C-alpha cells in the first residue's frame, strides 16, 4: 500500500460518513463505536455512539487555564489521525493484551490559546484528553468540569467519596439521582435501550490531580478535581488541618498540561466488561532500562501472600514470622507481609527472617505509612535499607487523597523502588489508572472496601458487585477469604471462591495461614492462581446478584461462583472446557452449615452441566484437570 493510500485509509477511519470538517468523528476499528467532537453553543462538546445508539449524549468538555476558559469560542483545526495495533503480556484477568485503536489529534484554538484534543477509540470504548502546550518552568493552574451525560433509563452502580475509595457500591436510577451527589470512579452503568454496560474512569493519572464525579441532576456526571472535592473522612482522621488546607488548593502544573485520559468503557455484556483492557492500554509501556523483560522481569513476582493482621493480629516476634513464612511455603504462597510491628525489630532480626524465608521460597514485605515518605532523605534511606536487607516489597498506606502532590508521591515511590527492584502494594490508596503497566513493580493497590471492614453486614451483595465495578479499573487488594465472623452473610465455599474472583497479582489472604492449612478446602486454596491466562464471565452473573467466573491457568480451569443475598438456582453448562474428560475437585456448601464445606471428586466434560442450589451468600469452586 502506498503512503498516500495509507493516509487516505486513516482519514476514512477518523471522519464520519457524513460530517463537516468542524465535526470530526473517530471510529473504532470494528466501526461500532463513534466519538464525535463538535462545538455547540460556542462550547467544545462531544458525544459517543455504540451500534448507532447514543451512550454518552451531547456533553460539554470544559477546561480552564489560570481561570480562563479554553473550551469556549473554540475553532477546530487540523486533524492528525493515527492508530496502533500491538500485543503485550499481562498479569491480570488474562495473560495477553491487545492494544488496538483508531485515534486522532485534533488542533483546537480559543483566542490566543492553541492546544489539542487527543482521542482514541477502541472496540470496547473511548478515551480523550487535552494537551495544552506550556513553557518550561512556567506554572499554571488547570481546571476541568467536563460532563458525561447518560441516556434516560440508565442504571448506575457507584459509591460516594466520603471514605475515599473504600465505599459500598449502591444501585441507582440515574433518572432520579439528584444534583450534588458524589461518585468515585470507576462507576458502572447499564443502559436501558441497548442493555450495554459502561464504566467511567480515568487512565494514566500523573502530574495532575485525580478526578471524582459529581451528579448534576440531569443524568450527567461532572468531572471534579481535588480542589473542588470534599476531603475524605480517612484523610481528616489521619492528617492535620494544615495538610488538608495545603492539598485543597488548586494544583500548579509546570510546562505542558496533559490531562489524564477520560475513559468510557463500553461492553455488550459483563464478560466483555470484565475483560476490558483500556485503562492499562492507555498508559506507556515500562522502561526497558529498568524492566528489561517488561512485566516478565525476573524480580517481579506475582503470587499469594500470608498476612498477620485480620485473623490473629497484635505484636509479632521473629519466631512467629518465621512460622508464617514456613506455613506460606506449605501453602505454596510466595509472600509474607509484615504490618507495622517490624519497626521495633533490629536489622539483624529482619535479615534473619529474610534469609530464613528465602530458603522457603518466600519473599518478605514491610508495611510503611506514606507520611514518612514525603521527605526525600527519609524515603531514600528506607528504600535503600530494604534493598540492602533483601526486603522484596513494601506495603505503603494512608494516602487518602488524590491531590496532585499525592499523585506525584505515588510516581516518585514507583520510580525509586523500581530502580532498587522493590515491589509495591499501595494501601489506603486511590483508584488504579493503569500505571501498573508503566511500573509493573506495582502489583496491586487497595482502593476498595475490603475484608478489613468489619462492620459491613451484607458482604454477600458487596462481593458480587465488586467484580463488575471497582475491579474493572484494575486489581484490588480486597484480602479475600476469611472463615470467621468477618465473612458475615457468606459461606466458607463463597469465601474460597472469592480468592479466584476477587483476584490480584499480589493475592493477600485475610485468613491466617494456620486456618488456611486447617480448612477442609486447603487443597483448593493451595491451587488458586493469582494471575490468569483467560477469564470468562458466564451467563447467570448479574451485578449485585451473582458472580460466575470460569478462569484458566495453563491447561487447568477453575469455576468459581459467589452468590449474593438472595437464594438462587444456577445451571452452568461446562462448554468452556476443552475436549475430553476432566478430573474435578469441587468445594460445595454444606447444607444448613455456613461454616463447613463438602469436598466432591467427579469427572466432567464440556457437555456436562453443574446444578447449584445456593442459599444467601452461598458459593462454589471447582478445579478441572485433565
Amino acid at each position: 500500500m502506498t503512503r498516500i493510500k495509507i493516509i487516505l485509509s486513516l482519514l476514512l477511519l477518523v471522519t464520519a460518513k457524513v460530517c463537516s470538517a468542524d465535526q470530526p468523528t473517530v471510529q473504532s476499528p470494528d466501526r461500532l463505536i463513534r466519538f464525535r467532537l463538535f462545538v455547540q453553543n460556542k462550547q467544545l462538546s462531544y458525544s459517543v455512539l455504540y451500534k448507532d445508539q447514543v451512550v454518552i449524549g451531547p456533553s460539554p468538555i470544559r477546561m480552564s487555564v489560570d481561570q480562563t476558559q479554553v473550551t469556549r469560542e473554540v475553532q477546530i483545526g487540523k486533524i492528525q489521525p493515527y492508530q496502533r495495533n500491538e500485543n503485550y503480556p499481562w498479569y491480570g484477568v488474562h495473560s495477553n493484551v491487545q492494544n488496538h485503536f483508531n485515534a486522532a489529534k485534533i488542533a483546537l484554538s480559543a483566542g490566543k490559546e492553541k492546544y489539542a484534543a487527543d482521542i482514541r477509540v477502541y472496540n470496547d470504548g473511548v478515551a480523550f484528553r487535552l494537551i495544552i502546550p506550556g513553557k518550561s518552568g512556567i506554572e499554571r493552574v488547570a481546571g476541568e468540569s467536563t460532563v458525561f451525560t447518560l441516556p434516560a433509563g440508565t442504571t448506575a452502580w457507584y459509591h460516594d467519596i466520603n471514605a475515599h475509595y473504600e465505599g459500598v457500591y449502591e444501585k441507582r436510577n440515574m433518572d432520579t439521582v439528584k444534583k450534588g451527589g458524589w461518585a468515585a470512579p470507576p462507576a458502572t452503568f447499564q443502559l436501558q435501550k441497548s442493555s450495554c454496560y459502561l464504566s467511567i474512569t480515568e487512565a494514566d493519572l500523573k502530574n495532575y490531580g485525580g478526578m471524582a464525579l459529581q451528579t448534576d441532576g440531569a443524568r450527567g456526571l461532572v468531572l471534579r478535581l481535588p480542589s473542588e472535592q470534599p476531603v475524605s473522612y480517612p484523610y481528616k482522621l489521619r492528617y492535620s488541618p494544615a495538610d488538608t488546607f495545603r492539598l485543597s488548593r488548586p494544583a500548579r502544573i509546570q510546562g505542558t498540561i496533559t490531562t489524564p485520559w477520560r475513559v468510557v468503557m463500553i461492553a455488550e455484556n459483563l464478560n466483555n466488561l470484565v475483560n476490558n483492557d483500556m485503562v492499562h492500554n492507555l498508559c506507556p509501556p515500562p522502561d526497558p532500562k529498568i524492566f528489561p523483560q517488561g512485566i516478565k522481569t525476573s524480580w517481579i513476582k506475582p503470587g499469594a501472600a500470608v498476612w498477620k493482621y485480620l485473623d490473629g493480629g497484635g505484636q509479632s516476634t521473629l519466631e512467629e514470622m518465621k512460622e508464617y513464612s514456613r506455613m506460606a511455603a506449605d501453602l505454596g504462597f510466595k509472600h509474607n507481609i509484615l504490618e507495622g510491628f517490624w519497626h521495633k525489630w533490629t536489622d539483624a532480626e529482619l535479615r534473619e527472617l529474610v534469609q530464613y524465608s528465602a530458603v522457603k521460597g518466600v519473599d518478605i514485605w514491610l508495611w510503611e505509612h506514606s507520611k514518612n515518605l514525603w521527605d526525600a532523605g527519609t524515603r531514600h534511606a528506607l528504600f535503600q535499607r530494604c534493598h540492602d536487607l533483601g526486603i522484596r516489597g513494601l506495603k505503603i498506606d494512608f494516602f487518602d487523597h488524590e491531590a496532585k502532590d499525592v499523585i506525584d508521591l505515588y510516581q516518585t515511590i514507583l520510580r525509586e523502588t523500581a530502580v532498587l527492584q522493590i515491589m509495591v502494594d499501595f494501601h489506603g490508596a486511590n483508584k488504579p489508572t493503569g500505571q501498573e503497566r508503566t511500573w509493573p513493580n506495582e502489583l496491586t493497590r487497595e482502593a476498595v472496601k475490603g475484608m478489613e471492614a468489619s462492620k459491613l453486614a451484607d458482604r454477600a451483595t458487596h462481593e458480587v458487585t465488586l467484580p463488575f465495578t471497582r475491579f474493572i479499573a484494575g486489581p484490588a487488594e480486597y484480602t479475600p477469604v476469611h472463615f470467621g465472623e468477618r465473612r458475615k452473610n457468606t459461606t466458607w465455599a463463597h469465601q474460597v471462591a472469592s480468592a479466584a474472583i476477587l483476584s490480584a497479582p499480589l493475592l493477600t489472604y485475610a485468613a491466617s495461614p494456620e486456618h488456611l492449612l486447617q480448612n477442609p478446602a486447603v487443597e483448593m486454596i493451595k491451587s488458586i492462581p493469582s494471575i490468569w491466562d483467560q477469564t470468562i464471565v458466564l451467563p447467570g452473573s448479574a451485578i449485585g446478584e451473582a458472580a460466575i467466573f470460569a478462569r484458566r491457568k495453563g491447561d487447568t480451569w477453575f469455576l468459581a461462583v459467589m452468590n449474593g443475598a438472595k437464594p438462587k438456582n444456577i445451571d452452568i453448562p461446562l462448554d468452556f472446557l476443552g475436549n475430553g474428560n476432566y478430573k474435578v475437585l469441587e468445594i460445595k456448601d454444606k447444607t444448613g452449615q455456613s461454616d463447613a464445606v463438602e469436598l466432591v471428586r467427579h469427572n466432567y466434560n464440556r457437555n456436562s452441566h453443574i446444578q447449584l442450589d445456593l442459599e444467601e451468600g452461598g458459593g462454589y469452586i471447582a478445579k478441572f484437570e485433565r
Side-chain angles (χ1 to χ4, degrees), residues 110-186:
K112 296 181 179 180
E113 193 75 62
K114 298 184 184 300
Y115 61 104
D118 194 359
I119 300 163
R120 293 183 183 179
V121 182
Y122 296 77
N123 290 340
D124 49 9
V126 304
F128 60 97
R129 64 180 179 180
L130 299 182
I131 304 170
I132 303 177
K135 296 179 180 179
S136 177
I138 302 299
E139 290 185 335
R140 294 175 296 170
V141 174
E144 283 189 86
S145 56
T146 291
V147 180
F148 303 84
T149 303
L150 296 155
T154 296
T155 301
W157 291 266
Y158 58 81
H159 67 76
D160 62 27
I161 59 176
N162 181 59
H164 197 40
Y165 281 89
E166 298 178 28
V168 177
Y169 282 82
E170 295 183 8
K171 184 178 181 179
R172 297 171 170 88
N173 180 345
M174 289 302 296
D175 291 339
T176 60
V177 169
K178 296 180 180 180
K179 182 178 180 179
W182 290 94

Side-chain angles (χ1 to χ4, degrees), residues 324-546:
Y324 261 59
S325 289
R326 183 195 67 78
M327 289 188 288
D330 287 349
L331 287 162
F333 291 7
K334 294 183 179 180
H335 307 287
N336 180 3
I337 300 174
L338 277 61
E339 283 297 305
F341 56 79
W342 74 267
H343 284 101
K344 297 182 178 180
W345 291 18
T346 65
D347 281 6
E349 289 174 310
L350 286 169
R351 188 176 289 109
E352 184 176 342
L353 177 62
V354 167
Q355 292 172 350
Y356 172 88
S357 302
V359 173
K360 302 288 186 182
V362 175
D363 287 334
I364 298 299
W365 292 57
L366 303 180
W367 178 93
E368 185 60 52
H369 197 308
S370 62
K371 71 178 181 182
N372 299 329
L373 304 181
W374 285 93
D375 178 77
T378 303
R379 185 176 65 246
H380 295 161
L382 172 66
F383 295 168
Q384 189 65 53
R385 180 186 177 196
C386 288
H387 175 270
D388 294 346
L389 289 171
I391 303 298
R392 300 308 303 273
L394 284 169
K395 176 180 176 178
I396 303 172
D397 207 348
F398 299 145
F399 292 87
D400 300 323
H401 210 296
E402 261 185 310
K404 178 182 175 296
D405 285 0
V406 180
I407 301 304
D408 291 345
L409 180 61
Y410 280 112
Q411 290 289 306
T412 299
I413 290 170
L414 286 168
R415 184 181 308 105
E416 293 177 358
T417 53
V419 170
L420 293 171
Q421 299 187 359
I422 295 171
M423 294 175 283
V424 177
D425 165 19
F426 289 124
H427 216 59
N430 74 309
K431 61 185 173 295
T433 65
Q435 284 289 302
E436 62 271 24
R437 183 187 181 195
T438 306
W439 303 103
N441 56 317
E442 180 189 329
L443 288 194
T444 191
R445 62 176 62 195
E446 187 184 24
V448 69
K449 194 175 190 70
M451 193 61 73
E452 286 188 76
S454 61
K455 296 179 181 179
L456 179 59
D458 186 4
R459 190 166 292 280
T461 299
H462 186 58
E463 290 188 346
V464 297
T465 301
L466 291 176
F468 314 112
T469 51
R470 162 62 183 83
F471 276 79
I472 301 306
E477 189 183 47
Y478 185 81
T479 60
V481 187
H482 201 287
F483 301 120
E485 191 272 340
R486 284 179 182 271
R487 65 184 168 84
K488 300 297 185 182
N489 60 336
T490 66
T491 65
W492 275 11
H494 177 116
Q495 284 299 304
V496 177
S498 73
I501 296 178
L502 304 177
S503 193
L506 178 68
L507 184 59
T508 306
Y509 280 73
S512 71
E514 181 180 11
H515 288 156
L516 293 172
L517 287 164
Q518 291 172 349
N519 194 276
V522 63
E523 181 182 345
M524 180 68 73
I525 292 167
K526 286 180 176 181
S527 67
I528 296 173
S530 66
I531 55 175
W532 303 93
D533 292 328
Q534 185 179 358
T535 296
I536 304 172
V537 180
L538 296 176
S541 298
I543 302 175
E545 298 179 20

Side-chain angles (χ1 to χ4, degrees), residues 190-208:
Q190 185 175 21
L191 275 56
Q192 183 182 55
K193 191 170 184 179
S194 62
S195 296
C196 73
Y197 295 89
L198 308 182
S199 181
I200 297 176
T201 190
E202 63 182 337
D204 202 21
L205 171 60
K206 60 192 177 191
N207 194 36
Y208 212 82

Side-chain angles (χ1 to χ4, degrees), residues 71-88:
T71 51
R72 293 282 299 172
E73 307 287 351
V74 177
Q75 298 294 318
I76 296 177
K78 184 179 179 181
I79 302 169
Q80 294 183 308
Y82 66 102
Q83 62 181 182
R84 187 173 303 159
N85 191 359
E86 63 178 352
N87 291 81
Y88 59 88

Side-chain angles (χ1 to χ4, degrees), residues 61-339:
I61 297 176
R62 299 194 191 106
M63 186 165 184
S64 64
V65 177
D66 288 339
Q67 298 185 332
T68 299
Q69 289 289 327
V70 299
T71 51
R72 293 282 299 172
E73 307 287 351
V74 177
Q75 298 294 318
I76 296 177
K78 184 179 179 181
I79 302 169
Q80 294 183 308
Y82 66 102
Q83 62 181 182
R84 187 173 303 159
N85 191 359
E86 63 178 352
N87 291 81
Y88 59 88
W90 191 241
Y91 290 148
V93 298
H94 39 242
S95 57
N96 185 67
V97 168
Q98 184 181 32
N99 186 19
H100 187 197
F101 60 81
N102 293 326
K105 286 188 177 178
I106 300 173
L108 302 169
S109 60
K112 296 181 179 180
E113 193 75 62
K114 298 184 184 300
Y115 61 104
D118 194 359
I119 300 163
R120 293 183 183 179
V121 182
Y122 296 77
N123 290 340
D124 49 9
V126 304
F128 60 97
R129 64 180 179 180
L130 299 182
I131 304 170
I132 303 177
K135 296 179 180 179
S136 177
I138 302 299
E139 290 185 335
R140 294 175 296 170
V141 174
E144 283 189 86
S145 56
T146 291
V147 180
F148 303 84
T149 303
L150 296 155
T154 296
T155 301
W157 291 266
Y158 58 81
H159 67 76
D160 62 27
I161 59 176
N162 181 59
H164 197 40
Y165 281 89
E166 298 178 28
V168 177
Y169 282 82
E170 295 183 8
K171 184 178 181 179
R172 297 171 170 88
N173 180 345
M174 289 302 296
D175 291 339
T176 60
V177 169
K178 296 180 180 180
K179 182 178 180 179
W182 290 94
T188 296
F189 306 90
Q190 185 175 21
L191 275 56
Q192 183 182 55
K193 191 170 184 179
S194 62
S195 296
C196 73
Y197 295 89
L198 308 182
S199 181
I200 297 176
T201 190
E202 63 182 337
D204 202 21
L205 171 60
K206 60 192 177 191
N207 194 36
Y208 212 82
M211 81 168 188
L213 300 167
Q214 189 175 30
T215 59
D216 68 1
R219 299 193 309 278
L221 294 162
V222 184
L223 189 160
R224 299 296 188 197
L225 296 179
S227 61
E228 297 178 304
Q229 300 169 17
V231 178
S232 71
Y233 171 76
Y235 192 85
K236 288 187 286 187
L237 180 68
R238 298 183 178 112
Y239 293 90
S240 70
D243 291 322
T244 301
F245 175 75
R246 176 175 59 86
L247 294 184
S248 65
R249 290 180 295 176
R252 305 193 67 82
I253 301 171
Q254 286 193 18
T256 296
I257 298 171
T258 302
T259 73
W261 291 98
R262 303 336 185 171
V263 180
V264 181
M265 291 177 260
I266 303 171
E268 186 173 2
N269 51 50
L270 291 176
N271 179 58
N272 291 353
L273 185 66
V274 167
N275 281 281
N276 194 297
D277 292 304
M278 282 186 63
V279 173
H280 41 268
N281 274 342
L282 288 159
C283 294
D287 183 345
K289 294 179 182 177
I290 302 175
F291 305 99
Q293 287 81 45
I295 202 168
K296 299 290 187 178
T297 297
S298 61
W299 57 273
I300 306 296
K301 296 181 179 180
V306 296
W307 177 43
K308 185 175 177 64
Y309 188 68
L310 291 185
D311 196 17
Q315 297 299 311
S316 299
T317 65
L318 171 60
E319 291 307 314
E320 286 175 308
M321 287 299 95
K322 281 185 176 181
E323 182 65 3
Y324 261 59
S325 289
R326 183 195 67 78
M327 289 188 288
D330 287 349
L331 287 162
F333 291 7
K334 294 183 179 180
H335 307 287
N336 180 3
I337 300 174
L338 277 61
E339 283 297 305

